[in-house]
Amino acid sequence: MKRIVILALVLAAAGLPATGCGSTGRTTLAVESAPDAPAASTPAADHNGKDVMFAQMMIPHHRQAVEMAKLAEGRAVSDQVKELAGKIEAAQEPEIRTMSGWLTAWGAQVPGERGMPMDHDMPGMMSGQAMEELKGLKGAAFDRAFLTMMIQHHEGAVAMAGQEQAEGVHEPARRMAADIVAGQSAEIATMRRLLR
């Protein structure tokens, strides 16, 4: 009797049924109770559609902000505007790379340099005409247009990030969204002061 009990314990430890082929109950139980099922740790298990949308929309949104910021170097007259533009570029380029990595890991489309079809629906995005007008300005006129446009741009990003905080589940994306809300809200306040 002891041998049967020991054999049953050895087989159970190995995940094999202790009875004949006709009994599948224990095998099923062993699989169901196995800790750390692989599906729980896959990239697909830690995000939802809102996370994908956040990254796909924020990448082209950030790219436009970086494009605007780069214009300031040769066109702005205010050192404060140039400094702010440098901060925007330094903060948003790494975020673009991070979000692109998420999308790749999730098997989702990474927006190309020309963006995606929904770009025009994004809050705060500048039209092509507005961007061309900004490129044609220099000095104080550039500074004023840049600040006015970037406030609108940042307000759009804050709104999108707030939606991710409310509906996304990917913790790194939610943390980035919180950083965007905090950082860009502070920059909006700075830009409003500079416009006075």
Side-chain angles (χ1 to χ4, degrees):
M1 184 69 176
K2 286 183 181 179
R3 286 182 183 177
I4 294 171
V5 171
I6 291 169
L7 179 60
L9 290 172
V10 169
L11 290 172
L16 299 171
T19 58
C21 295
S23 174
T24 59
R26 291 193 185 185
T27 303
T28 303
L29 182 62
V31 171
E32 287 174 354
S33 63
D36 301 326
S41 61
T42 60
D46 67 354
H47 73 283
N48 64 14
K50 297 296 183 181
D51 298 314
V52 173
M53 183 184 297
F54 169 71
Q56 287 180 331
M57 292 179 71
M58 196 61 82
I59 287 170
H61 203 274
H62 271 20
R63 281 182 183 146
Q64 189 177 68
V66 169
E67 182 184 354
M68 291 167 66
K70 288 184 180 198
L71 293 174
E73 187 178 336
R75 292 171 173 81
V77 69
S78 165
D79 288 338
Q80 291 173 301
V81 169
K82 288 180 183 179
E83 183 182 345
L84 176 67
K87 286 181 180 178
I88 290 168
E89 189 177 342
Q92 296 194 22
E93 283 188 324
E95 289 177 345
I96 291 168
R97 290 192 294 272
T98 298
M99 289 184 286
S100 297
W102 294 338
L103 291 171
T104 299
W106 298 336
Q109 181 183 356
V110 178
E113 290 297 330
R114 294 187 177 186
M116 295 179 76
M118 75 278 220
D119 286 5
H120 64 280
D121 294 329
M122 283 184 237
M125 284 291 278
M126 298 296 116
S127 67
Q129 181 181 345
M131 290 296 291
E132 287 304 313
E133 288 173 4
L134 184 63
K135 289 174 186 176
L137 298 174
K138 282 194 172 184
F142 173 87
D143 291 353
R144 185 157 201 83
F146 173 83
L147 293 169
T148 302
M149 290 169 67
M150 193 61 83
I151 288 170
Q152 181 182 339
H153 206 271
H154 273 22
E155 286 173 342
V158 168
M160 289 162 56
Q163 187 172 3
E164 167 62 17
Q165 287 181 293
E167 301 177 13
V169 298
H170 186 62
E171 281 307 317
R174 287 167 53 81
R175 285 194 299 271
M176 181 184 287
D179 290 344
I180 288 170
V181 170
Q184 295 198 24
S185 294
E187 288 174 352
I188 288 168
T190 299
M191 290 187 283
R192 285 183 174 147
R193 283 197 302 271
L194 291 174
L195 275 173
R196 289 187 196 129

